[in-house]
């Protein structure tokens, strides 16, 4: 069975560190599993996201992207942690959803941080958000600071170990949550 994976980042563009983390995880998962995937950024849901009060109020393309992400077998989320939190617009995406689309869905949490202390945001805010939505966040998150992905693109041993640890927890959760087969957008 082909797994469908969706990545959703809390960044506004395709050149962010959190996007890089989601891409790295997506690449590893699609290479090691029978999986297809797509990654979306907050910018892909604009301009209607900020004004929407439900999924139905989104523009048709934004709605299709969000529905694709919510129906995936695995959701990889990536957020920039700044000043102890993640972007409010990212939270708004999940305020638009109902609990059912995420019930039991495995979610891999990733975050880019400027300082190590900001990594606490993942445990104290991001994990709680997805648990409250009924999702199944993987126990280990992938967190990267500025020294984990230098300008030359090589990743640190610390980041490589974090990614391996998080992805080792994936197989049992994917086996539990098998969604219907569909083509990724």
């Amino acid at each position: 069975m082909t797994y469908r994976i969706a990545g959703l980042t809390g960044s506004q563009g395709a050149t962010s560190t959190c996007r890089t983390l989601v891409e790295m995880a997506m690449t590893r998962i699609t290479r090691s599993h029978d999986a297809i995937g797509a990654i979306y950024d907050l910018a892909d849901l604009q301009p209607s996201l900020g004004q929407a009060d439900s999924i139905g109020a989104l523009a048709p393309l934004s709605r299709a992207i969000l529905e694709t992400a919510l129906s995936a077998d695995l959701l990889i989320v990536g957020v920039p942690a700044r000043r102890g939190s993640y972007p409010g617009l990212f939270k708004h995406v999940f305020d638009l959803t109902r609990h059912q689309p995420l019930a039991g869905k495995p979610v891999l949490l990733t975050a880019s941080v400027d300082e190590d202390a900001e990594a606490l945001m993942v445990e104290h805010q991001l994990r709680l958000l997805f648990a409250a939505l009924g999702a199944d966040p993987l126990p280990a998150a992938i967190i990267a600071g500025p020294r984990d992905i230098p300008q030359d693109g090589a990743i640190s041993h610390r980041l490589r170990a974090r990614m391996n640890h998080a992805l080792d927890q994936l197989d049992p959760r994917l086996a539990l949550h098998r969604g219907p087969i569909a083509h990724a957008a």
Side-chain angles (χ1 to χ4, degrees):
M1 171 180 217
T2 301
Y3 293 108
R4 294 175 304 113
I5 303 170
L8 184 62
T9 77
S11 66
Q12 290 291 335
T15 59
S16 68
T17 302
C18 68
R19 167 89 183 205
T20 300
L21 289 174
V22 172
E23 288 172 347
M24 290 168 47
M26 178 79 72
T27 299
R28 290 266 312 268
I29 295 166
T30 56
R31 285 182 181 166
S32 63
H33 293 76
D34 181 16
I36 56 173
I39 301 173
Y40 308 102
D41 301 301
L42 283 180
D44 297 323
L45 301 174
Q46 297 293 7
S48 64
L49 176 61
Q51 298 174 0
D53 61 358
S54 69
I55 291 176
L58 291 169
L61 179 58
S62 299
R63 183 174 51 247
I65 288 170
L66 186 53
E67 288 172 348
T68 297
L70 294 174
S71 68
D73 298 307
L74 169 68
L75 184 59
I76 304 170
V77 297
V79 295
R82 302 295 178 265
R83 296 188 176 105
S85 191
Y86 55 86
L89 198 54
F90 181 80
K91 169 125 178 1
H92 183 63
V93 168
F94 295 97
D95 289 341
L96 300 178
T97 68
R98 302 294 180 249
H99 292 281
Q100 192 57 36
L102 293 175
K105 183 178 303 299
V107 178
L108 174 57
L109 306 174
T110 73
S112 62
V113 299
D114 286 336
E115 300 176 17
D116 288 343
E118 290 174 327
L120 292 171
M121 176 278 307
V122 172
E123 298 304 320
H124 294 277
Q125 295 177 32
L126 199 58
R127 185 173 304 285
L128 293 177
L129 169 66
F130 288 99
L133 293 170
D136 181 21
L138 274 66
I142 302 170
I143 300 166
R147 67 179 184 258
D148 291 314
I149 307 176
Q151 296 297 329
D152 65 7
I155 66 170
S156 71
H157 293 291
R158 180 173 85 157
L159 178 55
R160 190 177 321 277
R162 286 178 178 167
M163 184 161 297
N164 290 340
H165 181 63
L167 296 180
D168 285 346
Q169 301 167 355
L170 183 60
D171 286 341
R173 286 184 164 70
L174 276 179
L176 288 174
H177 183 83
R178 288 186 175 250
I181 299 297
H183 297 287

